[in-house]
Amino acid sequence: MRVVIAEDNALLREGLVLLLTSAGHEVAAVVGTGPETLPALLEQRPDVAVLDVRMPPGFRDEGLRAALAAREQIPGLPVLVLSQYVEESYAAELLSGGSSGIGYLLKDRVGRVDEFLDALERVAAGGTALDPEVVTELLTRRRDSPLDSLTPREREVLKLMAEGHGNTAIAEALVVTERSVSKHIGNVFLKLGLPPSDSGHRRVLAVLTYLKDPRKAV
């Protein structure tokens, strides 16, 4: 898998290079500023991009802007965004451009090597990987919406779905049967007015489409 890394912190940048190459991936390019990011992505057209949100020169949202611009020119480009803190507005903006092949993780998650690599591969395959803390923010900031009608268990299932987990993983996490998970998912879709589907990938996209709907935001 070919990866482009955009990260201004030299220590984390080199750590990502070592981690990815050790896992058998090819690091096609490494950049440390916002202006360098888009040209590198357009030139390399990687299988997945790993980008910091805030980068020089302004340390605002240069990485995010580059990711959004790259996805406009390379539709479906998988992007895994890293952030120091939960920045719900940035996550929502990234999702608004289409939730296929999108990941948003806190940088602390990189230290959990297996989780990080799993998220990276999931995003590269067109899936979704949202940090649990980001999902919590997206869920708790909604008010007066169909989410309010969900039971606590259905909210737990929805949260795990939004993180990108399949039925088996959800069942293991909640210590219930897969049949129970399927039933909860059906109820979630029914209450949210979303068409049910047996496809794990499609249902996550449907849930994220609902979560990113600006009409549901506070």
Side-chain angles (χ1 to χ4, degrees), residues 29-106:
V30 180
V31 298
T33 70
E36 295 176 284
T37 304
L38 180 58
L41 293 174
L42 296 180
E43 178 183 351
Q44 297 296 333
R45 295 180 175 260
D47 297 312
V48 62
V50 178
L51 311 174
D52 188 8
V53 171
R54 300 184 178 187
M55 299 180 67
F59 292 99
R60 292 187 295 271
D61 57 0
E62 291 82 356
L64 178 67
R65 294 289 156 219
L68 294 173
R71 282 174 66 89
E72 286 183 1
Q73 299 189 51
I74 309 174
L77 172 67
V79 173
L80 177 58
V81 170
L82 302 179
S83 180
Q84 189 68 41
Y85 309 102
V86 177
E87 298 174 288
E88 188 266 348
S89 61
Y90 288 162
E93 186 166 2
L94 185 66
L95 289 169
S96 69
S99 46
S100 176
I102 287 293
Y104 191 104
L105 299 181
L106 296 183

Side-chain angles (χ1 to χ4, degrees), residues 3 37 53 63 75 87 90 100 116-117 133 141 180 188 201-202 212:
V3 185
T37 304
V53 171
E87 298 174 288
Y90 288 162
S100 176
F116 173 73
L117 292 175
E133 291 188 38
R141 293 191 182 194
S180 294
V188 167
H201 180 59
R202 282 191 168 191
K212 72 186 181 186

Side-chain angles (χ1 to χ4, degrees), residues 36 61 93 107 149 191 198:
E36 295 176 284
D61 57 0
E93 186 166 2
K107 289 186 177 181
S149 67
K191 292 179 180 180
D198 293 329

Side-chain angles (χ1 to χ4, degrees), residues 7 25 47 51 149 155 160-161 165 177 191 209:
E7 167 61 53
H25 303 306
D47 297 312
L51 311 174
S149 67
R155 291 178 67 88
L160 291 169
M161 287 169 60
H165 298 293
T177 65
K191 292 179 180 180
T209 297

Side-chain angles (χ1 to χ4, degrees), residues 167-180:
N167 281 20
T168 301
I170 294 174
E172 292 176 352
L174 300 180
V175 194
V176 297
T177 65
E178 287 191 49
R179 184 174 180 179
S180 294

Side-chain angles (χ1 to χ4, degrees), residues 26 50 58 73 84 99 103 121 126 131 135-136 148 156 163 196 200 206 216:
E26 175 189 350
V50 178
Q73 299 189 51
Q84 189 68 41
S99 46
E121 292 173 3
D131 195 284
V135 175
T136 297
D148 297 332
E156 288 180 313
E163 289 172 21
K216 307 297 191 302

